[in-house]
Amino acid sequence: MISTSDYLATRFAGDFAAGRADVPLVGVQHHHAHIASVMVENRVTDPVIGVALDGTGYGTDGRIWGGEFLVADLTSFERVGHIRYVPLPGGDAAIRHPYRVALSHLHAAGITDLAGTARAMFGDVPAEEMDLVVQQIEKGVNSIDTSSAGRLFDAASAILGVCHEISYEAQAAIELESLLGNVDRGTGAYPYDIAEEGETLIVDPSRTVRALAESAMRGDPRDRSASQFHETVVAFCREVCERVAAARGIGTVALSGGVFQNRYLLGRLSEVLASDGLTVLVNREVPTNDGGVSLGQAIARASGRGRERCSGRL
């Protein structure tokens, strides 16, 4: 588990408000703020299905969120779905080294010989470092659970041999998207599963990850594999939205979060949701990444408390 105090912006806000009796401190959840930013930009106040995909955001359960499906208005939200949690071995180190996230997803997908797989896929990583990461994953130590879509993109990029380590933010995902230039849309998706835990929809990409690994081992063209991965994300987002829309009678979907800087993903998902008869809202004037969060937080606070109404009810 992590604490809100681990976030510098939250720590600053707390310190700033602590000595000022006239300054209230109100928390607004990160992914709700993303969706609120889309709603206010599009002048929508009725409840929407929010798809918030990014790299990191503090969740109300003390874990790192980032692959979230919400039912939200400007004052509150319900988390109705998310990508299955996987551990981040070494915490922030996994963000800088996507191969670590790849190994974590491979382990979660049921790959038994993790050390052998690591050597075969990431032979350029020093053996001692690799062994340490494998031990962290297998023993579940020095790790933080995350549902991050950004980290899933990192894993796919590393598995396909596109980017094992990064030197700038979102490098692995950016380089993965860059492979799509010569690939036609609609190449087909890899398999995935959606389970129900209580009334929460859990997207399990285990079969996707195994298919990616098999594709890499066969030496399939990376551009096609990258395209199929993107189509998989489109497919499971579409399915979750369809199920929530049917259960709740909500016809509007709001898309936000740093992952939607990926123009292929944003365009393709918007296209298929619209074809299903859903109204799609996106950020146009306001940044879809964390640059728009402050607006969402301000609007949520002005509209109410930005609090979670309940967790996981369809």
Side-chain angles (χ1 to χ4, degrees), residues 7-25:
Y7 289 85
L8 292 177
T10 304
R11 192 182 309 163
F12 169 81
D15 292 344
F16 183 84
R20 295 169 173 83
D22 59 336
V23 178
L25 180 65

Side-chain angles (χ1 to χ4, degrees), residues 264-305:
Y264 180 95
L265 179 67
L266 179 62
R268 184 77 173 122
L269 182 55
S270 297
E271 174 187 307
V272 300
L273 292 174
S275 73
D276 292 336
L278 297 168
T279 298
V280 181
L281 309 178
V282 300
N283 292 113
R284 299 187 187 279
E285 301 298 327
V286 177
T288 195
N289 62 9
D290 285 359
V293 166
S294 57
L295 173 63
Q297 290 174 325
I299 292 299
R301 175 63 184 97
S303 302
R305 288 294 302 274

